[in-house]
Amino acid sequence: MKKYTKQDIIQLVEENDVQFIRLQFTDVFGALKNVAIPASQLERALDNKCMFDGSSIEGFVRIEESDMYLYPDLNTFEILPWRPQHGRVARFMCDVYRPEGIPFEGDSRYILKKVLEKAAEMGYTFDVGPECEFFLFHTDDNGQPTVITHEKAGYFDVTPLDLGENARRDIILNLEQMGFEIEASHHEVAPAQHEIDFKYDNALATADKIMTFKMTVKTIAKRHGLHATFMPKPIQNVDGSGMHINMSLEKDGKNIFFDKNDPEGLSADCYHFVAGLMQHVRGMTCICNPLVNSYKRLVPGYEAPVSIAWSAMNRSPLIRIPAARGAGTRVEFRSPDGASNPYLVMALCLAAGLDGIKNKLMPPKQVGRNMYMLTEEQLRSMKIGELPRTLGEACAAFEEDLFLQNILGPHIAGKFLEAKKREWNEYCEHVSQWEIDEYLYKF
């Protein structure tokens, strides 16, 4: 892990002819924002004196209390490889602070850091590896995105079927220049759908990398004349895009999810962690799947989880334990999508898991059958619950889970819920083309 000092940063900027620096931060809803400064203002930024108008950022503050300060995390310094080689551009990920010098309670990065600190007090470190899926579509004559693709490739297909291979290659090369360790990339199930997996890291670094990943994917795709989208379900009747989260806890340098004496090779803490996730997952869904469109992905028949179940045997449940044991033992949480705020997702995953460990919760019996093949009647007979089916249901479930609201704090919980209820209401009021086609001539 990098351990930069202020002097290291100043030297890197001078040696690499960096002329502009982007001070990046993430809003409540997972959108990356930035303030760009010339290199002449670097020392001011390193002294945490760069200010911005927080009232202009959705979910932040009112205009009467708008002054916010950006505190760069020195270890996130990266030179953006796609920018010019002369007069280069670099970036920092930043924490957001109030003028009084205290962390801003609406900064999602701060929320994750708080939960990680609580885990550290218990002796735990939390590692996460994401699986990020996205679509690559054509743009129109004005450069605006469409949902048009000329390819018909499927899972693991290669060129010439995989028409996005060159764009994916350039994305990976740029990511590697920024320190990513790419483990695999491939075409996904749906036409124009892709996945790039990078190596796990501590949760804060991984959340930062997800934000960097999305920025890089979109930037390089545009250079290929394509539009990259992390929208969960841009096309009906095909699989949507998810962002599976693979999680492990370590204590004293050892993976605490592994127990060689258990029939499944899992420790009591692993079972407790899974149970904690299952206990809170309905409320978490509002954060993990934050769009009206997210619930078009979470439907039967398209390999996305719908029911609240777990397994150490098959790939279909909401929570699964992949086959690796020992240091590689991990919990895979399959419902989140790429539209979510990764800082909040990881904060809630860790908090829910720790709640399970603290209260020694136990999960129900694992499901060894293919979840995609079970009928609603079979699920009911097995007493298997369901994830929320709409954003409206998810908001209601989040509102009922006071534990999750306490983790996020009243500012983020309130602003997030307010915005998502408004989004759901606007959707409910909208008359779609499907309704016109279906009802206008009948009634």
Side-chain angles (χ1 to χ4, degrees):
M1 184 178 175
K2 298 171 184 174
K3 293 288 184 182
Y4 286 139
T5 65
K6 289 184 181 180
Q7 193 54 47
D8 291 334
I9 299 298
I10 292 169
Q11 186 173 341
L12 284 167
V13 167
E14 290 176 351
E15 289 177 351
N16 290 280
D17 186 32
V18 173
Q19 294 299 317
F20 291 93
I21 298 152
R22 294 182 180 180
L23 305 178
Q24 299 182 332
F25 61 100
T26 302
D27 74 9
V28 172
F29 307 105
L32 188 64
K33 307 289 186 180
N34 76 201
V35 174
I37 61 170
S40 61
Q41 298 297 305
L42 174 62
E43 292 198 39
R44 184 166 155 266
L46 296 178
D47 289 335
N48 304 324
K49 293 180 178 178
C50 284
M51 188 172 65
F52 74 99
D53 177 9
S55 67
S56 299
I57 306 298
E58 187 180 5
F60 268 33
V61 292
R62 300 168 300 173
I63 197 165
E64 304 97 295
E65 49 183 0
S66 59
D67 290 345
M68 293 282 156
Y69 286 82
L70 295 173
Y71 284 33
D73 183 334
L74 303 190
N75 297 323
T76 64
F77 177 83
E78 293 291 350
I79 295 172
L80 304 182
W82 57 83
R83 301 295 293 167
Q85 294 305 296
H86 298 288
R88 287 174 159 176
V89 179
R91 77 89 202 264
F92 291 106
M93 287 295 191
C94 299
D95 295 308
V96 182
Y97 274 68
R98 287 189 174 275
E100 308 92 289
I102 59 175
F104 172 46
E105 64 277 15
D107 177 13
S108 54
R109 197 172 191 266
Y110 166 65
I111 300 299
L112 176 56
K113 289 170 79 170
K114 278 205 310 181
V115 181
L116 289 171
E117 286 169 6
K118 181 180 178 181
E121 290 170 3
M122 300 169 68
Y124 298 128
T125 57
F126 184 50
D127 290 332
V128 178
E131 299 174 27
C132 300
E133 298 173 342
F134 56 93
F135 282 87
L136 292 175
F137 292 125
H138 292 296
T139 55
D140 64 19
D141 292 341
N142 297 317
Q144 296 302 304
T146 72
V147 290
I148 297 171
T149 177
H150 294 159
E151 71 157 55
K152 299 186 183 297
Y155 202 51
F156 285 179
D157 274 343
V158 297
T159 302
L161 289 176
D162 178 4
L163 300 181
E165 187 176 69
N166 288 336
R168 206 168 64 232
R169 171 185 174 275
D170 283 355
I171 290 167
I172 291 168
L173 292 175
N174 277 271
L175 289 170
E176 287 183 330
Q177 288 187 60
M178 289 190 288
F180 281 67
E181 184 175 339
I182 304 299
E183 293 189 327
S185 72
H186 59 86
H187 197 286
E188 260 294 340
V189 175
Q193 188 182 36
H194 304 267
E195 179 178 319
I196 298 175
D197 302 329
F198 51 89
K199 186 177 175 62
Y200 71 89
D201 205 336
N202 73 77
L204 184 64
T206 297
D208 287 340
K209 285 180 177 177
I210 290 172
M211 298 306 299
T212 303
F213 176 87
K214 290 162 75 172
M215 173 183 67
T216 304
V217 168
K218 286 179 169 290
T219 300
I220 303 306
K222 191 169 185 178
R223 294 195 166 199
H224 283 257
L226 299 169
H227 175 73
T229 181
F230 292 86
M231 180 180 175
K233 187 90 168 199
I235 305 177
Q236 67 181 50
N237 300 326
V238 300
D239 287 22
S241 291
M243 186 181 71
H244 297 184
I245 301 292
N246 293 270
M247 302 171 280
S248 62
L249 275 180
E250 286 191 0
K251 194 171 191 177
D252 300 324
K254 293 184 179 179
N255 186 327
I256 68 160
F257 285 169
F258 174 63
D259 182 354
K260 65 180 179 181
N261 297 316
D262 180 74
E264 299 290 354
L266 306 178
S267 69
D269 281 340
C270 184
Y271 289 113
H272 299 329
F273 192 95
V274 169
L277 282 174
M278 296 180 73
Q279 174 97 343
H280 295 288
V281 70
R282 281 185 56 82
M284 290 168 59
T285 304
C286 183
I287 305 297
C288 296
N289 309 94
L291 307 182
V292 167
N293 181 257
S294 297
Y295 300 85
K296 306 294 177 72
R297 167 180 168 255
L298 299 179
V299 295
Y302 294 99
E303 299 189 22
V306 175
S307 305
I308 303 172
W310 78 282
S311 178
M313 302 180 202
N314 73 78
R315 303 180 65 89
S316 61
L318 169 69
I319 298 168
R320 81 176 189 105
I321 314 296
R325 291 295 180 267
T329 307
R330 63 191 188 274
V331 173
E332 181 182 357
F333 182 40
R334 299 179 58 249
S335 63
D337 62 51
S340 61
N341 181 329
Y343 300 101
L344 299 184
V345 170
M346 291 180 202
L348 293 187
C349 284
L350 177 55
L354 292 179
D355 187 52
I357 291 175
K358 177 184 175 182
N359 293 297
K360 299 191 183 303
L361 303 179
M362 289 301 294
K365 183 179 178 182
Q366 65 172 305
V367 178
R369 299 170 64 182
N370 185 343
M371 297 296 301
Y372 309 137
M373 303 300 291
L374 296 177
T375 65
E376 288 192 15
E377 185 177 333
Q378 288 174 314
L379 292 169
R380 280 196 299 272
S381 69
M382 297 167 72
K383 297 183 179 178
I384 294 174
E386 288 186 328
L387 292 176
R389 292 191 175 191
T390 67
L391 182 59
E393 281 187 34
C395 286
F398 178 70
E399 212 164 8
E400 292 170 3
D401 197 321
L402 299 182
F403 172 82
L404 298 180
Q405 293 180 51
N406 184 57
I407 295 299
L408 298 187
H411 182 99
I412 287 184
K415 295 288 186 183
F416 199 95
L417 197 56
E418 178 187 356
K420 292 303 158 181
K421 281 184 172 180
R422 183 170 62 248
E423 182 178 338
W424 174 245
N425 288 335
E426 288 174 359
Y427 175 74
C428 289
E429 292 169 2
H430 174 71
V431 178
S432 68
Q433 188 60 46
W434 182 89
E435 293 168 278
I436 298 295
D437 294 341
E438 186 72 14
Y439 303 131
L440 189 62
Y441 76 99
K442 291 182 180 177
F443 300 101

